[in-house]
Amino acid sequence: MSLRIGIDVGGTNTDAVLMDDLKVVSKIKTPTTADVTTGITNGLKFVLESSGTATSAVNGVMIGTTHFTNAVVERRRLQKTAAVRLGLPATAALPPMVDWPQDLADTIGGNNYLCHGGHEFDGRPISALRPDEIKAVAEDLNAKGITAVAVSSVFSPVNTDLENEVAAMLREWVPGVSVTPSHEIGRIGLLERENAAILNACLRQLAAETVAAFRKAISDMGITAPLYLTQNDGTLMSAEFAEQYPVLTFASGPTNSMRGAAFLSGLKDAMVVDVGGTTSDVGALTHGFPREASVAVDIGGVRTNFRMPDVFSFGLGGGSLVKEDPLRIGPQSVGFRITQEALVFGGNTLTTTDIAVAAGVAEIGDPSRVAHLDKALVAAAMARIQEMSEAAVDRMKTSAEPVPVIVVGGGSVLIAKPLAGASEMVKPNHYEAANAVGAAIAQISGEVDRVYSLAGMSRDAALDDAKSEASQKAVEAGADPSTVQIVDVEDVPLAYLPGNATRIRVKAVGDLTLVGR
Amino acid sequence: MRQVTSEDLNDIALGAAVLGTGGGGDPYIGKLMAQSSMATHGAATMMYADELDDDDLVIPSAMMGAPTVMVEKVPSGKEIVTAFKALTEYYGKEPRATMSCEAGGLNSTTPFTVAVELGIPIVDADMMGRAFPELQMCTPTLAGINATPMAVADEKGNSVIINTVENRWTETFARTLTVDMGCSAMIALYAMTGKQVKEACVLGTISYAERIGQAIRRARANHLDPVETVRAATGGYILWQGKVGDVARRTETGFARGDARIDGTGAFDGRSLSLSFQNEFLIARDGDTVLATTPDLITVLDAETGVAITTETLRYGYRVVVIAMPCDPRWRTAEGLQLVGPDYFGYGVPYIPVEQRMKALGGR
């Protein structure tokens, strides 16, 4: 038996669920607090006490959070960060952060240094590393008081030595420095990988604080079980790992709610509509996992090459404003102020939640406060909500065939009737806590992305090498070896070359081993 | 003559990816480089071919090698200027302008760096109207124009001048040099007179790419169907709509070859399209029925955004629309087909223009 707690820390609400193996035992939605800790503690306290569970019985706590994404999008709490790139004389045309929005580059100081180093595709050096250059960088960092650094080197996914060497030098010469080598985060594609490394570097301090707040909440409750955070692809990382790589949490919110929806409904192939307070996300599940986006993904205006779920967001949520003449719903929302501002809570703002209560499809707050609403308005608004949801689902569908639609999220009371284009509409039990459930059931993974020279080895040998390394990485991260499977294999021969270089990406996932205690 | 601004380059790159037919490399890096030059030197000047005097010297410039390498080993920005200057010195005559070798993919934007850095115009033209993998595959070859003397340069400052008797030899030697230079080099070649440009090149292709890019951008801004917009802007045909079911890749004779299966959706439900590529998409088949072949342009678009997807990034699960567009008429001659027809790439099917194939199938 394993008891796990899944927590989703959103900008507005903190959701917590306690799961006993595959069963939801208890759940709670509480407001996110400014210190983060209190909100989590409140959630933990409720799920443990309401189920009569001893803290010592908990085997693991999994947290999903949008904290780091929001920090980048809102440009706040980001550390001054420098980018050091090794590759001269190559790459000088496009220095680090060249394609960033100016305000974000300014927020983190925009400091970058181009140095010699880097490798060719086949591992030959482009130029020798010059320690004197790195020494000068270190002195400048010290003079400017910068302690967050991203190091990128050309073809570091092929050869990681130079990034590691420079990281070691900087750690020696710059007191208190925190270095993110790009090969630890990204794949081939210098600018995108470097972007991810810089974003990671500028988030490390916030990550340390946030993870400390998570830890404090858990230890305050007396829980000694390990803490995990969820990644973009619905798999877990340890709290220690998350402190080092906060950037890997970026799209974990939608991923968790889609994985949770799959789990709660038992459907593996379906569309998921997650209705929140301000916006709704629609995504497609294939084989129980979110379908990935096919184009480069911008985070706060920065181009990255992460695996991200393909999600369409639109402005409909439980707090969306409803305006008359002409009828308009959203995109403005009262957000977390819904419990003061919505009519059913005694406020003066007409929201979609009020409409749902007036239409008799939801029981929230005081229905007498919306009894006066014009019946025609209520009907028209309900129809519009339906249309908006149907259009969004249709947009994400890959065929005209009706598909199952799973509706989850706190605002899903808005969707009262089956959606057109849905073969069935499922609102599973615990729908409002799908994201926390998704966090609780997340698996653990290992990934390899590397260019192999096939001059001295066969393609099969290279694939085997990558597969075993990915599996090994998954096991090292905590996967039960007997459940590890390869879920993604991709090999791309590098075009326009006489044959020998192939880029191989492999991902392995497995169930997390939780030791019963 | 007209100005091409940093903003215009966004549209050119977007449209060039459509003309890239899955190959030619992602124009993103080339675009960023030209834009960074423009940030220092201002906008580029683009001239129309009919503004060239017959005896003007035009030196095209380009990137050669693996686009996948270029996205990692980003250029220094000097190598393309080095190559261009090396060839200029060899000729001992000031060129009137530079030009794009291929309007499809990243070489639509790379010559803008030369134009802006050296303050010379770029001609609104290219040498194929699409992308092809080898450097002899261009309309000047059909007109008997020698690719050499050619300059090849790397980021370290090395440059080499090649002289060959035939354009296929140029490809062989330049390819070897490119590998030694780290699989990404910058080149200047096919120096031509203004008269030769007007007669042997595909004219107006940079502004054509720009119009396609504008159409995609505007369609997205106005919530119109970007795929239909591309089809209309190119006079093309919708060959297929579906979801990538499988991509099988292999490396043979230096090409990234492979086949993709596109499982039909909507009107194509229940059937699968087989799409074969060798760097570029070259033939599209519905069972035994050939829908389109090289040298007509076959492009895979993201169904949602209308953005072209390259053969390298194509993967399982993408929702796509496959379109085909007629090629330049010179490719449809016997000499053109010998150079780039389905037989050259080993597909053993006769070339029939896409318009005729579509008509025979009752139109699409």
Side-chain angles (χ1 to χ4, degrees):
Chain A
M1 171 188 109
S2 99
L3 278 176
R4 46 181 81 190
I5 295 174
I7 301 175
D8 179 82
V9 184
T12 310
N13 288 311
T14 295
D15 295 292
V17 296
L18 174 69
M19 293 186 69
D20 182 353
D21 276 336
L22 303 181
K23 202 173 98 237
V24 176
V25 178
S26 180
K27 64 185 173 189
I28 181 73
K29 187 181 286 288
T30 66
T32 298
T33 54
D35 69 345
V36 182
T37 308
T38 313
I40 297 177
T41 313
N42 292 341
L44 286 171
K45 204 175 275 177
F46 181 88
V47 294
L48 291 172
E49 286 172 5
S50 65
S51 61
T53 307
T55 54
S56 59
V58 177
N59 300 120
V61 179
M62 290 78 180
I63 297 182
T65 181
T66 52
H67 226 66
F68 305 119
T69 327
N70 293 346
V72 171
V73 171
E74 294 164 19
R75 276 89 165 116
R76 52 179 186 88
R77 303 185 70 185
L78 304 177
Q79 211 178 340
K80 292 270 180 250
T81 299
V84 178
R85 188 197 286 167
L86 315 172
L88 285 181
T91 81
L94 302 174
M97 298 182 249
V98 65
D99 55 347
W100 283 38
Q102 195 58 45
D103 65 327
L104 181 56
D106 290 346
T107 302
I108 65 164
N111 291 289
N112 70 73
Y113 305 88
L114 291 173
C115 302
H116 285 79
H119 288 93
E120 305 283 3
F121 77 99
D122 53 4
R124 283 178 294 157
I126 293 175
S127 60
L129 188 66
R130 297 189 187 168
D132 57 312
E133 283 180 350
I134 308 304
K135 183 82 185 171
V137 168
E139 281 162 10
D140 199 49
L141 292 174
N142 284 332
K144 289 179 172 152
I146 296 171
T147 55
V149 182
V151 178
S152 56
S153 180
V154 175
F155 275 109
S156 64
V158 176
N159 187 329
T160 59
D161 292 352
L162 291 183
E163 286 187 0
N164 289 334
E165 264 179 61
V166 168
M169 288 176 188
L170 291 174
R171 284 181 192 123
E172 188 185 329
W173 295 330
V174 182
V177 77
S178 155
V179 185
T180 303
S182 76
H183 72 266
E184 292 180 0
I185 291 184
R187 34 167 108 168
I188 297 277
L190 177 68
L191 295 183
E192 290 85 356
R193 185 177 71 249
E194 180 177 78
N195 286 346
I198 299 170
L199 288 178
N200 192 70
C202 75
L203 285 168
R204 276 234 178 122
Q205 198 173 326
L206 178 63
E209 290 164 19
T210 308
V211 173
F214 293 166
R215 284 210 181 91
K216 181 170 186 307
I218 287 162
S219 67
D220 282 356
M221 287 300 299
I223 297 173
T224 54
L227 169 66
Y228 296 91
L229 272 80
T230 58
Q231 306 187 52
N232 300 329
D233 60 1
T235 59
L236 295 168
M237 54 184 162
S238 69
E240 294 72 32
F241 195 83
E243 278 181 302
Q244 297 298 309
Y245 307 107
V247 82
L248 299 181
T249 63
F250 272 7
S252 61
T255 303
N256 285 344
S257 77
M258 287 169 70
R259 294 258 301 139
F263 173 81
L264 292 171
S265 64
L267 295 170
K268 299 269 185 217
D269 296 280
M271 303 293 293
V272 178
V273 184
D274 181 359
V275 189
T278 301
T279 58
S280 298
D281 293 335
V282 181
L285 279 170
T286 40
H287 309 305
F289 282 87
R291 182 175 73 208
E292 285 177 17
S294 60
V295 282
V297 187
D298 273 12
I299 308 283
V302 177
R303 189 173 152 114
T304 67
N305 55 7
F306 289 119
R307 289 158 187 277
M308 294 281 200
D310 186 8
V311 170
F312 174 63
S313 293
F314 62 106
L316 173 69
S320 297
L321 304 193
V322 179
K323 299 219 171 109
E324 296 176 69
D325 300 319
L327 177 65
R328 244 188 38 225
I329 294 177
Q332 289 88 14
S333 163
V334 294
F336 67 90
R337 299 184 312 274
I338 186 165
T339 49
Q340 291 105 56
E341 298 195 8
L343 301 183
V344 289
F345 292 113
N348 298 310
T349 312
L350 179 60
T351 66
T352 45
T353 295
D354 299 314
I355 295 289
V357 173
V361 298
E363 290 173 27
I364 298 169
D366 179 357
S368 70
R369 290 181 181 274
V370 291
H372 68 282
L373 291 177
D374 177 20
K375 292 258 182 314
L377 168 68
V378 171
M382 284 302 286
R384 178 67 59 84
I385 288 167
Q386 195 79 8
E387 280 166 29
M388 289 169 77
S389 312
E390 285 169 358
V393 169
D394 191 56
R395 198 186 150 113
M396 295 299 286
K397 271 169 69 171
T398 48
S399 90
E401 289 292 299
V403 289
V405 173
I406 313 167
V407 183
V408 295
S412 56
V413 289
L414 298 182
I415 302 177
K417 285 190 300 186
L419 297 172
S423 58
E424 56 176 321
M425 193 167 93
V426 183
K427 205 178 281 185
N429 260 339
H430 315 298
Y431 62 86
E432 74 284 11
N435 42 16
V437 170
I441 60 160
Q443 289 180 301
I444 202 140
S445 70
E447 194 172 345
V448 170
D449 175 3
R450 186 169 308 144
V451 176
Y452 282 83
S453 170
L454 299 186
M457 78 198 298
S458 72
R459 177 173 167 275
D460 286 347
L463 281 174
D464 286 345
D465 180 74
K467 285 179 189 171
S468 70
E469 187 177 333
S471 304
Q472 186 59 33
K473 281 188 171 178
V475 171
E476 278 167 19
D480 172 356
S482 68
T483 65
V484 171
Q485 44 176 328
I486 304 293
V487 291
D488 199 6
V489 179
E490 202 186 323
D491 63 312
V492 182
L494 297 182
Y496 306 92
L497 306 184
N500 293 329
T502 290
R503 174 177 169 189
I504 296 178
R505 284 187 215 160
V506 174
K507 179 160 200 182
V509 302
D511 293 339
L512 180 63
T513 317
L514 286 177
V515 185
R517 25 185 99 220
Chain B
M1 285 217 217
R2 56 165 280 212
Q3 298 269 293
V4 174
T5 65
S6 208
E7 292 291 300
D8 298 336
L9 276 184
N10 291 331
D11 289 334
I12 292 172
L14 202 54
V18 173
L19 298 179
T21 66
D26 184 341
Y28 187 69
I29 296 276
K31 178 188 83 171
L32 276 187
M33 284 176 59
Q35 286 175 329
S36 123
S37 294
M38 285 179 177
T40 313
H41 302 284
T45 303
M46 185 159 75
M47 65 191 295
Y48 302 105
D50 59 15
E51 294 170 315
L52 286 168
D53 286 338
D54 280 355
D55 56 356
D56 276 342
L57 174 65
V58 175
I59 300 184
S61 49
M63 179 268 179
M64 181 169 185
T68 33
V69 166
M70 193 169 160
V71 301
E72 179 64 32
K73 192 177 88 172
V74 171
S76 78
K78 296 199 181 104
E79 31 311 61
I80 195 161
V81 176
T82 306
F84 189 85
K85 281 188 172 164
L87 202 57
T88 302
E89 277 169 29
Y90 192 86
Y91 273 93
K93 181 183 173 187
E94 278 307 304
R96 175 74 183 92
T98 189
M99 202 180 91
S100 165
C101 291
E102 56 183 346
L106 70 89
N107 278 325
S108 59
T109 47
T110 42
F112 277 93
T113 300
V114 170
V116 175
E117 291 283 336
L118 299 180
I120 57 170
I122 179 171
V123 183
D124 183 8
D126 81 322
M127 308 190 328
M128 59 193 81
R130 46 166 297 159
F132 276 124
E134 298 179 358
L135 60 73
Q136 79 277 10
M137 297 174 173
C138 60
T139 47
T141 297
L142 296 179
I145 296 169
N146 196 317
T148 64
M150 168 190 184
V152 187
D154 70 8
E155 78 283 356
K156 299 167 186 84
N158 299 309
S159 66
V160 180
I161 301 275
I162 304 173
N163 276 295
T164 63
V165 295
E166 206 213 352
N167 292 350
R168 264 177 215 254
W169 280 113
T170 320
E171 161 66 28
T172 307
F173 294 145
R175 191 68 55 184
T176 308
L177 274 171
T178 299
V179 173
D180 288 340
M181 289 177 170
C183 281
S184 163
M186 291 293 178
I187 56 175
L189 71 173
Y190 283 106
M192 283 178 272
T193 63
K195 187 166 190 290
Q196 285 174 316
V197 168
K198 285 181 254 187
E199 290 172 0
C201 293
V202 187
L203 307 184
T205 42
I206 300 301
S207 43
Y208 179 47
E210 185 181 19
R211 284 196 303 277
I212 298 171
Q214 281 169 351
I216 298 173
R217 176 169 54 82
R218 289 179 186 152
R220 279 153 68 179
N222 298 318
H223 300 291
L224 303 173
D225 178 0
V227 170
E228 173 52 27
T229 306
V230 172
R231 195 210 56 73
T234 58
Y237 300 86
I238 304 273
L239 291 189
W240 207 259
Q241 177 195 326
K243 181 175 146 181
V244 179
D246 187 39
V247 184
R249 303 173 202 271
R250 57 196 183 277
T251 305
E252 286 167 17
T253 60
F255 282 117
R257 296 182 190 231
D259 300 284
R261 193 186 78 230
I262 318 286
D263 298 331
T265 55
F268 304 93
D269 208 7
R271 290 181 291 154
S272 288
L273 181 80
S274 153
L275 202 54
S276 301
F277 55 87
Q278 296 183 23
N279 299 344
E280 282 79 29
F281 296 111
L282 296 177
I283 180 166
R285 283 175 284 213
D286 173 9
D288 293 334
T289 311
V290 175
L291 300 184
T293 69
T294 176
D296 287 325
L297 288 72
I298 302 170
T299 288
V300 175
L301 303 175
D302 182 275
E304 190 69 32
T305 60
V307 172
I309 297 176
T310 63
T311 55
E312 284 149 1
T313 54
L314 192 71
R315 56 190 291 195
Y316 173 83
Y318 286 4
R319 291 146 302 141
V320 299
V321 175
V322 184
I323 65 168
M325 301 160 269
C327 64
D328 186 88
R330 276 164 284 190
W331 290 128
R332 295 175 167 181
T333 62
E335 299 76 28
L337 292 173
Q338 205 182 344
L339 204 57
V340 296
D343 262 348
Y344 177 83
F345 293 99
Y347 290 113
V349 300
Y351 171 73
I352 300 170
V354 63
E355 303 93 303
Q356 289 175 31
R357 287 193 187 275
M358 288 297 114
K359 201 172 170 193
L361 290 168
R364 277 172 198 257

